[in-house]
Amino acid sequence: MRMQDFSRDRLTSVSPDLSVDIAGVRFPNPVMPASGAYEVDEIHDNFFSPSELGAVINKTIFLHPRPGNPPPRIWETPCGMLNAIGIPSDGAEVFIRDKLPALRRLGPPVVVSIAGETMEEWIELAERIEATGMADLLELNLSCPNLSEGIPWSTEEKTLERVVSAVVSRVKLPVIAKLSPVVTDIADMARTAERAGAAALSMINTYKGMAIDIKKKRPALGNITGGLSGPAIRPLAVWAVYSAHEVVKIPIIGMGGIDGPAAAIEFLLAGASAVAVGMYNFIDPFTMKRTIEGIRTYLAEEGYSSVREIIGLAHVK
Amino acid sequence: MAVPVYRKATLVSRKESPRGYVHLVIREEQIARTAGPGQFVMVRGWHTGDPILPRPFDIVLADPLKGVFRLCIKVEGKGTRLLSTLKKGSSLYVTGPLGKSITEFDSAGTALLVRGAGAAAVVFLAETLSKLKKPVYTVLSASTKSRLVCRALLEEFSNDVFIATDDGTEGYHGNGTDILDQLIREGKVDTVYTCGSHRFARHVKALDLAGKVKGYLFLEGNMGCGMGDCHGCAVKKDGQDGYFLVCMDGPVFRSRSVVVEP
C-alpha cells in the first residue's frame, strides 16, 4: 500500500462503495454486459443473478424484425473472435412486449440498445422506447461493423453529430453513443458525440476484420468480414478510452476484451466510469460476477473507499 | 429442463479409439446426473488465449451413479488436440448439460444413421431406447474399417448394427442409406436420427418430406458459448424466414424444419 493511502477515511472504510453515476443514473457497481453478449434467461440466472449487475442491456433492437446474417457467423482468432451475427432481432414490438419488462423486473438500471437503418427509424425507436417508461438509458449502436446497410453512423463526424443530436432532441432519456474504433481518431468522434448531446459514451465496438478458411479457400465468415473482439483488442480499447477521457467530460463505459477484474480496472484507471463484458461471457459465464468481486477486493487492498476514486487515475497530469 | 452448470471438472480417463478419436471420461456429478440424450457440453481444457473459446461435444453417455460422463472427440484442430493430450486427473472447465434433451420415445422402431464422429452423438439415445425396450437399428458408416467410431457401444445398445464402408473393408461396400432404405422397406423403423454426414441428412429429410419416416438431424454449428449468448450457431429455417440456434433450439431438429447444406 502506498503511503498516501493511509488517510483516516480510507482506513475506516470496510467495504468500498462500488456505485457509479452514468449520466445521472446510479449503477450499483460498474460492471455490465456488452450489448449482444449476454442473455437474461433461466440458464444465466442459474449461474448468478443478473440483479447483481451494475446495469442490464439488451441485444440491439431495430424497429423491424431482422433474421441476421447467414452462417458461419463466428470464427475464433488468437485471443479473440470475429463475429458477423448481423443483429437478428424480433423488432421493437416484440421487444417492448416480451423482453423489456423482464429486464425492468431484474432491478439494475436498464440500458436499451437501439439501432436504426434510417434517421427516421432512430427517432421512432428512441421515442417508442422512452414511451414505455421502462428504460433508464438509451444506447445508440452506431457502430456495428456487420450491417449490409453500411451506413457509417459513427465513422463520419457529420453523420454522428446528426443522428445523436436528432435523437437527443426528441427524447428525455440520457443517450449513450456507442462508438466505432475504425476511425482516424476516436477522441474526435467522442468529442463530436458529446457536442451533439450524448450523455455518455460506450467505447468501443468491434474492429472490422476477416479470416480465411484455408480448407475452403474462402472467407471464414458468411458475411466475409466481421467484428473482432476479445483480449486481442484490449490495448486498442484501453487507448481509445484513455484518449477520449482526455477530451470529454461525459462518462465512458469501457469495453474490449475484458476477461476479469484486472482488465476492468485498467479501463477504470484509463477513464471509464463503468465497464462492459462481451466475449468472455461465452468462455466463463461467471466473468461479470468475478469482475465485480475483484474490483471490490482491489479497492480494499489499495485503500480506496469508492471505485469513483480510481476513474481516470492513470492520466498523467 | 435440467439447468446447466459451469464447473471445474476432472478427467478420469482418456483412451484413443479408433485412431484419431479420443474418449474422455469426466467427473462432474451434476452434469452426469441431469444430462439426457441429445445434450452436449462446452469444454475448455486451457487457460490460453489461443485457443480461447470452449468447444462443444455431444455427451456420449452419462453415469449418474458414478458421477461421470463420456465424450468422444475427433482430433482435428488446436482445441481437440489439446484436449486429446490431457493427462488423467487434469482439470477441465465444463458447462452443461446444454441443448434440448430428446424426450419422445414413442416410435415403434428407430434407425440411427451415423458416420464418422457423428456416431458419438447417438450413443446416449441408443442407450435410452434400449432401456425402454424400444427396437434400435444402427447403420454405422465410415470411409474405411479403421474409422468406425463408437462401434462397441452402439453394438451394446442396438438390436442390430449394420456396418457400411466406402472401401468395402468391412460390412456393406457402399452407401449407408441403402441399408436404411432396406430397414424402412422391411417395416422395421418409422423414425430416423442421423448425424455426421450432409448426404445422410439430405436423404433423411427427403424420406421425412415423403412421409416415410419421422426424420431428425443432429446438427453442429460454429458455437462460441453453447447457451444462446453469441448467436453464432445459426441454422436456416425451412419454410420460414430466419434462423434457429443449434445450441438453444437443438442440437436435434426435425429434418423438415431446417435447410440442409448442399
Side-chain angles (χ1 to χ4, degrees):
Chain A
M1 187 178 289
R2 291 165 298 151
M3 284 306 288
Q4 64 264 37
D5 289 341
F6 281 95
S7 61
R8 194 160 52 94
D9 58 355
R10 279 178 182 162
L11 276 180
T12 50
S13 69
V14 179
S15 184
D17 178 9
L18 290 188
S19 68
V20 293
D21 182 293
I22 303 292
V25 178
R26 182 185 176 275
F27 285 20
N29 66 68
V31 180
M32 63 180 288
S35 174
Y38 176 79
E39 291 286 324
V40 169
D41 60 14
E42 192 192 355
I43 293 178
H44 295 76
D45 197 36
N46 192 53
F47 295 131
F48 68 93
S49 171
S51 65
E52 296 177 41
L53 293 168
V56 289
I57 189 167
N58 60 301
K59 187 168 180 68
T60 302
I61 53 148
F62 282 78
L63 195 55
H64 304 295
R66 302 161 51 89
N69 284 332
R73 288 175 165 187
I74 65 168
W75 192 261
E76 187 180 63
T77 59
C79 298
M81 64 180 270
L82 286 161
N83 89 76
I85 308 298
I87 317 187
S89 172
D90 293 330
E93 198 178 318
V94 173
F95 172 74
I96 290 168
R97 190 188 64 213
D98 298 342
K99 295 191 174 161
L100 186 51
L103 288 177
R104 179 77 275 171
R105 278 193 293 272
L106 293 171
V110 175
V111 184
V112 173
S113 171
I114 64 169
E117 292 181 23
T118 62
M119 194 64 88
E120 292 71 33
E121 278 189 22
W122 281 106
I123 292 166
E124 184 181 344
L125 196 47
E127 288 178 339
R128 282 179 70 173
I129 296 301
E130 176 159 79
T132 66
M134 288 188 275
D136 296 298
L137 293 139
L138 264 187
E139 180 174 277
L140 311 186
N141 183 355
L142 302 152
S143 43
C144 179
N146 297 323
L147 303 183
S148 55
E149 295 79 21
I151 299 167
W153 295 111
S154 74
T155 54
E156 205 277 313
E157 272 190 76
K158 286 205 177 85
T159 313
L160 174 65
E161 183 152 17
R162 213 156 52 90
V163 64
V164 172
S165 58
V167 173
V168 167
S169 71
R170 300 292 280 268
V171 295
K172 292 192 185 67
L173 280 175
V175 167
I176 306 168
K178 185 164 183 178
L179 300 180
S180 169
V182 191
V183 292
T184 308
D185 186 349
I186 199 166
D188 288 343
M189 308 310 282
R191 207 162 20 203
T192 300
E194 182 181 48
R195 195 170 56 232
L201 302 170
S202 275
M203 300 176 62
I204 51 171
N205 210 319
T206 55
Y207 283 82
K208 191 169 187 166
M210 81 180 292
I212 310 286
D213 183 333
I214 64 166
K215 281 190 189 143
K216 293 182 179 162
K217 304 175 186 71
R218 289 284 179 277
L221 294 169
N223 190 51
I224 299 177
T225 60
L228 181 65
S229 61
I233 68 165
R234 192 192 305 149
L236 305 171
V238 171
W239 158 241
V241 169
Y242 187 96
S243 65
H245 184 76
E246 297 262 293
V247 298
V248 299
K249 292 195 171 61
I250 53 177
I252 298 167
I253 302 170
M255 66 199 75
I258 293 176
D259 60 358
I265 292 161
E266 263 196 83
F267 278 89
L268 296 169
L269 293 169
S273 296
V275 295
V277 176
M279 173 194 174
Y280 233 81
N281 291 318
F282 310 159
I283 295 163
D284 171 1
F286 287 92
T287 304
M288 291 189 287
K289 189 177 171 68
R290 276 197 295 112
T291 302
I292 296 167
E293 288 164 0
I295 292 172
R296 183 181 287 118
T297 305
Y298 173 84
L299 294 170
E301 284 174 2
E302 296 283 325
Y304 295 103
S305 59
S306 163
V307 69
R308 297 186 296 280
E309 293 171 49
I310 70 163
I311 294 168
L313 204 59
H315 285 257
V316 181
K317 296 287 184 243
Chain B
M1 187 189 93
V3 186
V5 293
Y6 171 76
R7 296 271 167 81
K8 193 173 182 175
T10 310
L11 182 64
V12 176
S13 75
R14 174 176 62 104
K15 188 182 160 202
E16 187 171 7
S17 168
R19 196 159 171 224
Y21 293 84
V22 173
H23 293 250
L24 301 179
V25 176
I26 296 168
R27 181 178 310 285
E28 207 305 301
E29 290 180 11
Q30 179 98 359
I31 295 174
R33 259 202 323 269
T34 56
Q39 289 192 294
F40 67 99
V41 287
M42 297 296 290
V43 181
R44 191 162 53 95
W46 47 80
H47 284 286
T48 61
D50 187 18
I52 187 164
L53 292 167
R55 302 292 195 257
F57 299 104
D58 291 298
I59 297 170
V60 174
L61 282 175
D63 186 335
L65 294 177
K66 289 185 181 154
V68 298
F69 62 91
R70 179 198 289 243
L71 309 177
C72 175
I73 291 171
K74 183 183 183 187
V75 182
E76 52 184 350
K78 263 183 302 209
T80 49
R81 202 167 305 124
L82 277 171
L83 289 173
S84 75
T85 54
L86 287 178
K87 294 197 164 58
K88 188 178 162 181
S90 300
S91 292
L92 308 101
Y93 290 89
V94 289
T95 312
L98 294 162
K100 288 183 174 157
S101 183
I102 299 166
T103 52
E104 278 183 36
F105 307 107
D106 52 5
S107 71
T110 302
L112 308 175
L113 175 67
V114 291
R115 181 173 170 90
V122 300
V123 173
F124 204 155
L125 175 61
E127 187 208 31
T128 306
L129 289 166
S130 92
K131 278 183 182 165
L132 295 168
K133 311 275 186 243
K134 297 278 188 180
V136 183
Y137 304 93
T138 298
V139 181
L140 180 56
S141 150
S143 56
T144 188
K145 183 182 175 180
S146 62
R147 298 243 174 99
L148 292 163
V149 177
C150 291
R151 178 181 184 166
L153 290 168
L154 288 166
E155 282 174 346
E156 184 181 343
F157 302 125
S158 307
N159 294 51
D160 257 319
V161 173
F162 305 93
I163 307 282
T165 52
D166 301 349
D167 62 1
T169 41
E170 181 157 356
Y172 178 66
H173 184 180
N175 201 328
T177 54
D178 297 343
I179 303 171
L180 174 69
D181 292 344
Q182 179 66 28
L183 287 165
I184 295 168
R185 273 196 300 274
E186 291 169 4
K188 287 183 171 167
V189 301
D190 57 10
T191 302
V192 182
Y193 289 84
T194 188
C195 188
S197 155
H198 287 306
R199 189 163 43 84
F200 286 0
R202 283 195 302 275
H203 188 82
V204 169
K205 181 169 175 171
L207 291 169
D208 192 2
L209 288 172
K212 293 186 175 167
V213 292
K214 275 172 137 180
Y216 295 91
L217 316 177
F218 280 74
L219 296 184
E220 58 181 4
N222 282 17
M223 211 177 266
C225 67
M227 51 195 175
D229 286 327
C230 78
H231 293 255
C233 56
V235 54
K236 200 155 176 39
K237 293 176 179 175
D238 196 351
Q240 52 180 320
D241 283 342
Y243 297 89
F244 291 115
L245 291 182
V246 174
C247 68
M248 296 298 281
D249 303 310
V252 182
F253 292 89
R254 184 74 190 257
S255 62
R256 54 173 65 176
S257 71
V258 294
V259 172
V260 179
E261 283 177 45

